[in-house]
Amino acid sequence: MKVAFVQPGLPKSGCLAVGVLETGALTPSAKAADAATGGAVSRAIAASRFTGKAEQVLDIVAPAGVDLDRLILVGLGKAAEVDARRMEAFGGAAAMAAGKGKSAELTLAVDALAEAHSSAALLAAHAALGARLKSYRFDLYRTKQKAEDKPTLKTVSVAVTDAKAAKAAWQPLEIVAEGVEFTRNLVSEPANVLSPAAFAKIAKGLEKYGVEVDVLGEKEMTKLGMGSLLAVGQGSDRESQLVILRWQGGAKDDAPVAVVGKGVCFDSGGISIKPAAGMEEMKTDMSGAAVTAGLLQVLARRKAKVNVVGILGLVENMPSGMAQRPGDVVTSMSGQTIEVINTDAEGRLVLADALWYAQEAFKPKTVIDLATLTGAIVIALGADHAGLFANDDSLAKALADAGASVGEAVWRMPLGEAYDELIKSDIADMKNTGGREAGSITAAQFLQRFVKPETAWAHIDIAGVAWMKKALPTAPKGASGFGVRLLERLIADRYEAAPLPAKAKKAAPKAKK
Ligand code: BES
Ligand code: MN
Ligand code: ZN
């Protein structure tokens, strides 16, 4: 899909989307469309239940007086609520409505609204982002698509007074959109195609953007003592891989931010095998690693002034004669031993070694892991928030703020010694499951045992948000790419802007209280 920024005015073909405010107040571009169509906009609103509430759509086909295929009215809600997020929903809703027809072009009219939160140029760029993200499709394996099922939309033009400024604002957002798409593609790939080695090979492709990429195989990981990660992959015929991605955009000696992703290319549960119903969704159990790879692509492509290391723990969890058994005891790279009670609690085994390696090898100031870790977080938070666990209040707050600003919400969950009781083992340092209660918390508490006390650490459980059963305003159902925008925002706001981490500054007023 091509994106262009053009001057306001009625287009001569395709679809035109205009915003309508709640209570039916027309935006300037809606007024212009109303005038050009002899009042069709006002009449359509009067004759329908459309009120201009956010994301409502009223589609006027072949309006008289203009050459348009359709005039699409999109609710913007209250003027004071119009922000980047709302404009992304506007772009997404318009692209969906346009897609119902067979037009190749869609024009999004973006007005300067006095009460809006940002300039019209920035709002216009976000409208484009919404249209782009919502139009994502994964059609790689369709060979018999009927012509009428194929997408027709080729160009989205955003009409805004300051088209030049809008185009400049779009540049970094286009890189973000492509990073999200890269992540969604990885998550959507089936596990027969995307083995750990195939994933590593794709990650290697990030070298073309200036990312340093190293891939460790089982031999190297054995040498490093990664008995916990390797145990998960030992039942699979496919070799486990650890991918190290390095973007050095900051000062040479500046400690990096490390992002660690769970990359279970398929999670059958292993010997503690999962039930058949829905097991196919476990091809998405590498979403944390896919988000990490997408994030590094974005940071490198926009030459972010920051040092970031991405660690992908890539394995396949399969049952076989070689698979680990319930009751096995493994020794992690940290030296701590783990009794494997349930081979389906494999993500924490992978992360235990990936987290430890990240800290040993790179001495990061901050470590953030992303993982489709627990079914329990889906029960607790559903698909509206990812679960956030952190040993550092300022990092947790920064993540919550970043999430709210990009529409990838996180909800903080507790950690605490009280939960340690649940993962005590009779014969090893810990066991890998804590029973039915507080499943997401015991998983996080387990991970924390592999985090050094001096490391600021956050764990984001994305099991409920990585793969959407329902479409979102800016995503079709399926792979969401949740986390790419969140961490991109966090890094831009907290680690890139100031030479000193925002942590020190923000903590100061608190300490005075
Ligand atoms: N990959 C799953 C968690 C998951 C569930 C991801 C649903 C996406 C959607 C994870 O490896 C797992 O199986 N967790 C178990 C842990 C249990 C055995 C302690 C779970 O949540 O049931
Ligand atoms: Mn599992
Ligand atoms: Zn898993």
Side-chain angles (χ1 to χ4, degrees):
M1 197 179 87
K2 233 183 78 200
V3 173
F5 293 88
V6 301
Q7 286 304 314
L10 273 179
K12 296 271 177 292
S13 59
C15 301
L16 170 66
V18 296
V20 176
L21 296 165
E22 201 166 325
T23 67
L26 302 185
T27 55
S29 54
K31 267 185 205 146
D34 197 34
T37 55
V41 171
S42 314
R43 279 206 310 284
I45 293 174
S48 74
R49 289 181 184 274
F50 180 91
T51 60
K53 267 209 182 109
E55 283 160 60
Q56 273 184 352
V57 171
L58 184 60
D59 192 0
I60 308 172
V61 181
V66 289
D67 297 324
L68 297 167
D69 297 337
R70 335 166 80 89
L71 183 56
I72 302 162
L73 312 183
V74 181
L76 291 177
K78 298 192 177 76
E81 293 166 1
V82 174
D83 59 4
R85 211 82 315 99
R86 185 61 56 81
M87 292 310 284
E88 287 166 14
F90 166 78
M96 277 308 94
K100 288 193 182 127
K102 52 186 181 185
S103 313
E105 306 149 76
L106 164 66
T107 302
L108 301 171
V110 176
D111 301 288
L113 299 172
E115 302 101 312
H117 290 253
S118 315
S119 70
L122 192 68
L123 295 178
H126 281 275
L129 180 63
R132 172 78 185 254
L133 290 176
K134 182 74 177 179
S135 304
Y136 171 80
R137 301 174 54 125
F138 186 75
D139 286 339
L140 200 56
Y141 299 107
R142 298 185 196 278
T143 66
K144 296 186 172 177
Q145 212 171 17
K146 293 193 207 99
E148 67 256 38
D149 291 334
K150 286 190 180 153
T152 55
L153 195 59
K154 295 275 184 298
T155 312
V156 171
S157 302
V158 189
V160 60
T161 312
D162 198 350
K164 213 176 140 202
K167 194 176 171 189
W170 167 242
Q171 235 92 82
L173 292 182
E174 182 172 34
I175 290 173
V176 168
E178 282 167 9
V180 171
E181 286 161 1
F182 176 63
T183 296
R184 288 177 180 175
N185 284 343
L186 283 165
V187 173
S188 304
E189 281 288 357
N192 62 328
V193 174
L194 198 75
S195 62
F199 193 144
K201 198 170 162 203
I202 293 171
K204 198 91 181 134
L206 294 176
E207 281 178 342
K208 69 171 172 286
Y209 302 120
V211 179
E212 287 169 51
V213 185
D214 285 306
V215 181
L216 308 187
E218 291 183 352
K219 214 173 132 196
E220 288 113 321
M221 286 192 270
T222 304
K223 264 195 212 144
L224 288 165
M226 296 189 169
S228 179
L229 183 153
L230 287 167
V232 176
Q234 80 187 34
S236 168
D237 284 350
R238 279 121 159 231
E239 192 184 350
S240 301
Q241 313 267 282
L242 191 82
V243 175
I244 299 124
L245 305 168
R246 282 217 283 171
W247 170 248
Q248 293 277 5
K252 198 166 164 288
D253 303 322
D254 200 9
V257 175
V259 181
V260 179
K262 169 179 174 182
V264 177
C265 292
F266 189 74
D267 180 13
S268 70
I271 296 298
S272 314
I273 198 161
K274 288 181 180 292
M279 203 205 272
E280 69 283 357
E281 200 190 310
M282 287 302 118
K283 73 170 185 179
T284 69
D285 211 21
M286 31 55 72
S287 294
V291 170
T292 307
L295 172 71
L296 267 286
Q297 174 178 298
V298 173
L299 295 174
R301 288 191 59 200
R302 69 166 181 72
K303 305 231 181 308
K305 290 188 178 55
V306 62
N307 296 336
V308 177
V309 185
I311 308 284
L312 321 180
L314 304 175
V315 301
E316 185 178 51
N317 188 22
M318 297 292 271
S320 80
M322 289 295 290
Q324 66 172 335
R325 295 144 289 252
D328 284 4
V329 174
V330 299
T331 303
S332 66
M333 183 184 175
S334 73
Q336 299 176 92
T337 57
I338 304 158
E339 184 185 7
V340 180
I341 299 297
N342 188 320
T343 65
D344 197 12
E346 85 298 338
R348 64 199 75 180
L349 297 175
V350 172
L351 290 173
D353 281 339
L355 284 167
W356 195 259
Y357 176 82
Q359 294 164 93
E360 285 287 294
F362 301 106
K363 308 271 176 281
K365 53 185 162 202
T366 302
V367 177
I368 300 166
D369 76 73
L370 292 145
T372 47
L373 202 64
T374 65
I377 205 71
V378 191
I379 304 302
L381 300 176
D384 292 310
H385 290 83
L388 168 65
F389 301 82
N391 68 359
D392 180 306
D393 291 347
S394 133
L395 176 60
K397 166 116 182 21
L399 276 161
D401 290 348
S405 87
V406 299
E408 294 184 341
V410 296
W411 192 263
R412 191 166 181 190
M413 304 281 287
L415 289 161
E417 269 173 34
Y419 298 97
D420 279 337
E421 199 61 36
L422 299 169
I423 53 173
K424 264 192 184 155
S425 161
D426 289 338
I427 64 162
D429 296 338
M430 69 196 89
K431 56 183 183 179
N432 78 327
T433 58
R436 248 169 50 81
E437 289 173 13
S440 304
I441 306 173
T442 51
Q445 197 69 30
F446 177 99
L447 296 181
Q448 192 170 21
R449 300 222 178 166
F450 301 88
V451 175
K452 300 182 180 187
E454 67 270 22
T455 308
W457 163 71
H459 155 58
I460 307 176
D461 192 336
I462 55 172
V465 296
W467 185 263
M468 302 301 296
K469 294 196 172 72
K470 281 195 214 131
L472 295 171
T474 53
K477 64 181 187 177
S480 65
F482 184 109
V484 175
R485 294 187 64 193
L486 167 67
L487 292 192
E488 196 275 332
R489 177 84 289 170
L490 175 88
I491 286 171
D493 289 350
R494 184 175 167 92
Y495 300 103
E496 231 181 324
L500 262 167
K503 182 183 169 184
K505 286 185 198 163
K506 279 187 187 158
K510 244 192 198 171
K512 274 183 212 153
K513 269 200 279 188

